[in-house]
Amino acid sequence: MDGDWELVESNPQLGLSRYRLDLGTHYVYRTEYLYGKALLDENERQRNATAGQKWGDAALVARIPMNVLMNQKTGLYDAIVSGDDKYLNKVLNDADNRAFRTKEGTL
């Protein structure tokens, strides 16, 4: 890491690293999400490769980075645990979340 940034946490399961910079009177923290861009790029590649194809049984329709899935603000993890398919479909059908999709269409 460049400069005086100190690695304080590395979590491969969540795909993140946290760094701390000591400014003397306080700390500044930075979080880097390791797999997010690569995962979203792969989702786009797969979405483009399957464009226009019919859905099959148990088709993979989305991949979501762990830092997004586990973020309380998204509510995604809770929806999965509680079986709230209506909420999951709403989130995955939202155009703002297209990067998570591996297949086009509506759930």
Side-chain angles (χ1 to χ4, degrees):
M1 190 91 258
D2 293 338
D4 296 325
W5 288 97
E6 171 190 5
L7 178 66
V8 291
E9 178 185 4
S10 179
N11 188 327
Q13 289 76 27
L14 293 179
L16 63 83
S17 294
R18 289 195 174 105
Y19 298 89
R20 175 176 64 193
L21 178 64
D22 185 352
L23 297 178
T25 58
H26 61 281
Y27 291 106
V28 174
Y29 289 88
R30 181 178 79 215
T31 303
E32 292 182 1
Y33 298 102
L34 308 175
Y35 308 120
K37 178 154 177 27
L39 179 67
L40 299 181
D41 288 347
E42 178 59 21
N43 284 354
E44 181 180 19
R45 187 202 63 73
Q46 188 169 355
R47 191 172 55 249
N48 292 339
T50 61
Q53 294 180 4
K54 291 186 176 186
W55 293 43
D57 290 335
L60 175 67
V61 297
R63 283 189 293 243
I64 302 170
M66 288 294 288
N67 60 297
V68 175
L69 179 68
M70 301 305 288
N71 186 325
Q72 292 285 329
K73 293 178 184 177
T74 68
L76 291 170
Y77 180 76
D78 291 337
I80 290 169
V81 169
S82 67
D84 188 351
D85 290 341
K86 185 176 179 179
Y87 178 75
L88 290 172
N89 291 347
K90 177 184 173 195
V91 169
L92 293 174
N93 287 329
D94 187 323
D96 289 342
N97 298 320
R98 184 172 192 260
F100 303 142
R101 295 293 299 270
T102 59
K103 296 278 290 176
E104 295 289 350
T106 302
L107 298 173

